[in-house]
Amino acid sequence: MGSIRRYMQFVKPYRLQIIVTLIIGIIKFAIPLLIPLLIKYVIDDIIGNPDMSNAEQATTLLKIMGIMIFVFLIIRPPIEYYRQYFAQWVASKILYDIRDRLFTHIQKLSFKYYANTRAGEVISRIINDVEQTKTFVITGLMNLWLDIATIIIAVIIMLKMDITLTIVSLILFPFYGFSVKYFFGNLRKLTRARSQALAEVQGYLHERVQGMAVIKSFAIEDYEQTQFDKQNENFLTKAIDHTKWNAKAFAVVNTITDIAPLLVIGYSGYQVIQGNLSTGTMMAFIAYIDRLYNPLRRLVNSSTTLTQSIASMDRVFELIDEKYDIDDSPNAVECKNVKGDIDFVNMSFAYDEKEEPVLKDISLNVEKGETIALVGMSGGGKSSLVGLIPRFYDVTKGKIMLDGKDIRTFKVRSLRDKIGMVLQDNILFSESVKSNILLGKPDATNEEVIEAAKAANAHEFIMNLPNGYDTKVGERGVKLSGGQKQRVAIARIFLKNPPILILDEATSALDLESEHLIQEALEYLAKDRTTFIVAHRLSTITHANRIILIEHGEISEIGSHEELMKKQGNYYKLFQVQQLEN
């Protein structure tokens, strides 16, 4: 029950509202309990009263009905409204808090987590599983107690009318309790399996919707349909297993709750025949049995939905318990007044401790304002090296120093705030061009945004878009060309104005015209900043202060373009090959 205890932390701030809702609920459920008493009073004390004339019976009936209509028509509707309103309000607020906490949490999870987890599964937990936990608030914290209160009030009234008949009414309660315990123990496991299968369907769908262009270009719709059917069928199997067990539970429990009224009718009918019980009391008891076993039926439903809810809670807390690979140390400090000297000291790195290191024993001293180009064959470790500077991953051995301090002593977010990155495939969000540029500095003015766009050679093409800076770019920026997306990404960095710059294959996928415009913007951007350029095309980095050739995770050559060309080593060979290709 650890999940429930943890969930209660989210409930705690709203306990006063829950208590008020429960009080209103008890009044709401207690009012209908007057009806069996009304039946007994009308039959025994009005209709069956030989001392009253017909006129007196009619007048008394009219009075009592007037009171009842006032209670049900004037008092009960607002009580019903506020009970529903407060219950839903509290549940929605708790869900809001949980989703808020989860969004903060997923933003702190490392690249390693996202490399191993499908986005659709994460979304499924935050949307579907959190929504399922709403039942716990509405049912577990409110309706459950209201149903129990209804049963207790009904039993107290019944005991006052006839003790023996009350015992007959409750004789099947133990069987009911045993069957609920037996059936709903297994349901939590089945519900978790069903939720996981649904998350897998959602994860698969999310990927396929994003990659629809690939499916269409390879004309593999039929193959993808078959693959989706497998995922869908897995969910169907888990859903049917869950439904079967659920149906068995309801069959047994409802049989018990249906037999109970038969026992009461039989026993009370016999007592009336014997003259030991009035007809009104018998009718009231039959009405109370309905009032008694309806909440019991609801409790069975509650057991099902609560089990589903707790299984979803388990999945929500499973996500909350995901550890942060990169986290601030307890005495971490803000990263301020950065000059931009970076030292790699005997640094090695592996994505997994069990695997071979991707980078081995790298030592490199980079001075403020220097431009360093990293070159080499694909898979050599260039992107891994620049990914360690903003601590997307942490070094396995050695350390990286910024202005003489280990980068692990800084607060992660304040460190990343001092670094600007332009990647090969920059992700744009589906909002406007302006919103995407503002990611660099959310509180920037319009003038600053336009200035940044001009510096990135982007202003001209933005003004030619249908709505200028307010044009929506579509999911991942699909409405813009590769070169336009890059220039918007560069404008973001101009706006951010960081002391350290990382360009990871920033021009490799562009046409020549875009490349020229972007190269110009990047060189302007790199001025007076410590800059790391990961490049495939060597002609774009000849201006760098130093070029570093990385092969098999190690630095094999280092120097300026001219120095390396004179050396006639592997860099020289690579450059010659590329020149010939061009």
Side-chain angles (χ1 to χ4, degrees):
M1 289 291 144
S3 292
I4 294 177
R5 201 164 46 248
R6 292 177 68 183
Y7 196 85
M8 292 307 285
Q9 296 301 311
F10 290 99
V11 174
K12 223 184 218 171
Y14 303 102
R15 52 184 173 222
L16 183 66
Q17 288 90 330
I18 290 172
I19 291 165
V20 170
T21 310
L22 281 173
I23 292 165
I24 295 172
I26 289 169
I27 298 166
K28 179 232 162 175
F29 279 103
I31 291 172
L33 293 177
L34 296 172
I35 289 179
L37 287 176
L38 177 70
I39 294 169
K40 175 178 164 42
Y41 181 74
V42 169
I43 293 173
D44 287 351
D45 298 353
I46 300 177
I47 298 168
N49 190 341
D51 302 333
M52 279 177 137
S53 66
N54 281 3
E56 283 174 325
Q57 284 176 331
T59 309
T60 312
L61 184 62
L62 212 58
K63 273 184 197 166
I64 195 80
M65 291 316 291
I67 294 165
M68 282 299 175
I69 286 167
F70 176 77
V71 169
F72 279 88
L73 211 60
I74 307 299
I75 297 174
R76 195 164 185 262
I79 287 172
E80 180 70 63
Y81 169 81
Y82 282 110
R83 195 201 86 77
Q84 282 295 337
Y85 174 77
F86 283 135
Q88 292 295 334
W89 183 87
V90 169
S92 300
K93 286 287 281 180
I94 291 167
L95 262 52
Y96 169 86
D97 292 347
I98 294 171
R99 287 201 179 105
D100 216 41
R101 164 83 183 276
L102 280 172
F103 189 72
T104 306
H105 175 65
I106 63 167
Q107 289 190 95
K108 290 182 182 175
L109 288 172
S110 68
F111 280 67
K112 193 185 280 185
Y113 175 78
Y114 288 108
N116 296 323
T117 313
R118 291 205 291 201
E121 286 201 32
V122 178
I123 293 165
S124 181
R125 291 199 189 203
I126 297 174
I127 302 298
N128 300 341
D129 286 312
V130 172
E131 195 61 37
Q132 285 275 6
T133 68
K134 188 178 188 177
T135 315
F136 176 76
V137 182
I138 302 277
T139 304
L141 298 178
M142 295 179 197
N143 294 0
L144 192 73
W145 300 108
L146 294 176
D147 285 333
I148 290 168
T150 307
I151 291 167
I152 291 167
I153 295 167
V155 168
I156 290 167
I157 297 169
M158 288 161 76
L159 282 168
K160 289 204 166 173
M161 286 197 292
D162 192 298
I163 292 171
T164 316
L165 200 49
T166 306
I167 291 165
V168 171
S169 305
L170 302 177
I171 206 158
L172 292 177
F173 262 44
F175 295 99
Y176 165 84
F178 171 76
S179 57
V180 167
K181 190 174 186 314
Y182 172 74
F183 281 106
F184 293 108
N186 205 28
L187 207 57
R188 184 169 170 184
K189 194 169 76 202
L190 291 169
T191 307
R192 283 190 69 174
R194 181 174 163 276
S195 294
Q196 181 55 32
L198 180 62
E200 281 163 19
V201 170
Q202 192 154 343
Y204 187 88
L205 258 178
H206 187 267
E207 279 186 344
R208 267 40 184 195
V209 168
Q210 283 194 321
M212 198 50 77
V214 177
I215 293 170
K216 286 181 179 297
S217 65
F218 282 96
I220 51 168
E221 287 89 344
D222 292 345
Y223 170 76
E224 282 300 329
Q225 185 68 52
T226 311
Q227 297 304 105
F228 180 71
D229 288 348
K230 281 182 195 166
Q231 298 277 348
N232 212 7
E233 203 172 311
N234 178 45
F235 174 63
L236 178 66
T237 308
K238 299 284 189 289
I240 287 171
D241 288 347
H242 179 270
T243 304
K244 266 192 215 159
W245 196 255
N246 218 3
K248 278 181 197 167
F250 276 102
V252 171
V253 170
N254 283 339
T255 302
I256 294 169
T257 51
D258 287 341
I259 289 171
L262 298 178
L263 294 178
V264 171
I265 292 166
Y267 182 77
S268 61
Y270 178 74
Q271 292 298 324
V272 171
I273 292 165
Q274 294 298 313
N276 300 331
L277 199 69
S278 71
T279 310
T281 307
M282 176 188 171
M283 296 305 291
F285 254 90
I286 292 166
Y288 271 123
I289 274 291
D290 195 40
R291 294 283 186 272
L292 195 64
Y293 278 89
N294 261 349
L296 267 186
R297 278 197 184 89
R298 276 200 302 274
L299 284 173
V300 177
N301 281 325
S302 301
S303 306
T304 312
T305 50
L306 275 176
T307 308
Q308 290 173 354
S309 184
I310 292 162
S312 287
M313 258 182 227
D314 293 341
R315 285 170 52 77
V316 168
F317 288 117
E318 219 170 71
L319 177 56
I320 284 179
D321 288 340
E322 280 295 337
K323 295 275 182 289
Y324 304 138
D325 285 347
I326 310 296
D327 209 355
D328 292 336
S329 60
N331 50 359
V333 295
E334 289 287 331
C335 185
K336 290 177 182 166
N337 308 321
V338 170
K339 279 187 3 204
D341 293 333
I342 296 179
D343 291 319
F344 296 86
V345 185
N346 307 118
M347 188 273 295
S348 297
F349 169 67
Y351 283 100
D352 198 312
E353 286 156 24
K354 299 177 191 111
E355 291 172 8
E356 272 288 296
V358 191
L359 295 163
K360 299 162 206 154
D361 205 28
I362 302 276
S363 286
L364 177 66
N365 173 255
V366 181
E367 289 180 8
K368 173 193 178 221
E370 217 183 338
T371 295
I372 300 290
L374 302 165
V375 299
M377 301 299 283
S378 286
K382 306 182 298 295
S383 293
S384 301
L385 181 71
V386 293
L388 294 169
I389 302 168
R391 286 188 71 197
F392 292 153
Y393 302 93
D394 266 340
V395 297
T396 317
K397 211 177 97 196
K399 56 189 170 179
I400 299 171
M401 314 283 277
L402 171 60
D403 296 342
K405 292 181 188 137
D406 190 325
I407 59 170
R408 288 170 292 195
T409 62
F410 297 119
K411 289 183 178 169
V412 178
R413 280 172 64 179
S414 70
L415 169 70
R416 289 176 188 164
D417 192 43
K418 302 293 178 283
I419 300 167
M421 295 193 79
V422 183
L423 310 172
Q424 181 178 350
D425 180 22
N426 284 287
I427 292 184
L428 301 188
F429 296 128
S430 58
E431 288 106 36
S432 66
V433 174
K434 183 184 167 187
S435 302
N436 275 288
I437 295 174
L438 277 171
L439 294 175
K441 184 184 170 190
D443 58 351
T445 63
N446 278 347
E447 289 71 30
E448 287 175 302
V449 170
I450 292 166
E451 207 52 52
K454 282 179 178 170
N457 284 334
H459 179 69
E460 201 178 310
F461 93 75
I462 294 171
M463 292 312 289
N464 288 328
L465 293 171
N467 300 315
Y469 281 84
D470 294 321
T471 306
K472 298 264 193 289
V473 299
E475 194 167 356
R476 296 175 75 92
V478 288
K479 294 180 185 175
L480 302 181
S481 71
Q484 288 172 334
K485 274 166 73 171
Q486 284 302 65
R487 279 177 275 168
V488 170
I490 293 164
R492 283 201 288 229
I493 307 298
F494 270 112
L495 199 58
K496 185 177 185 180
N497 195 18
I500 300 164
L501 187 61
I502 294 171
L503 311 172
D504 192 352
E505 302 271 18
T507 60
S508 64
L510 305 175
D511 56 78
L512 285 173
E513 188 191 350
S514 292
E515 187 179 347
H516 167 68
L517 286 167
I518 286 165
Q519 201 60 43
E520 199 179 279
L522 288 176
E523 283 177 28
Y524 179 34
L525 182 61
K527 228 181 253 171
D528 304 323
R529 297 175 211 270
T530 306
T531 304
F532 291 85
I533 304 173
V534 174
H536 177 67
R537 259 192 295 230
L538 303 184
S539 58
T540 61
I541 50 93
T542 52
H543 66 285
N545 299 100
R546 279 187 292 164
I547 294 166
I548 291 159
L549 179 65
I550 295 183
E551 294 180 299
H552 312 299
E554 295 178 275
I555 295 175
S556 61
E557 290 178 29
I558 187 163
S560 67
H561 173 68
E562 288 75 22
E563 287 165 359
L564 293 179
M565 289 302 281
K566 272 185 202 153
K567 194 178 174 188
Q568 296 205 355
N570 284 353
Y571 174 81
Y572 171 83
K573 286 177 194 162
L574 267 177
F575 195 82
Q576 296 296 89
V577 168
Q578 286 196 7
Q579 291 304 98
L580 283 171
E581 283 173 359
N582 289 339

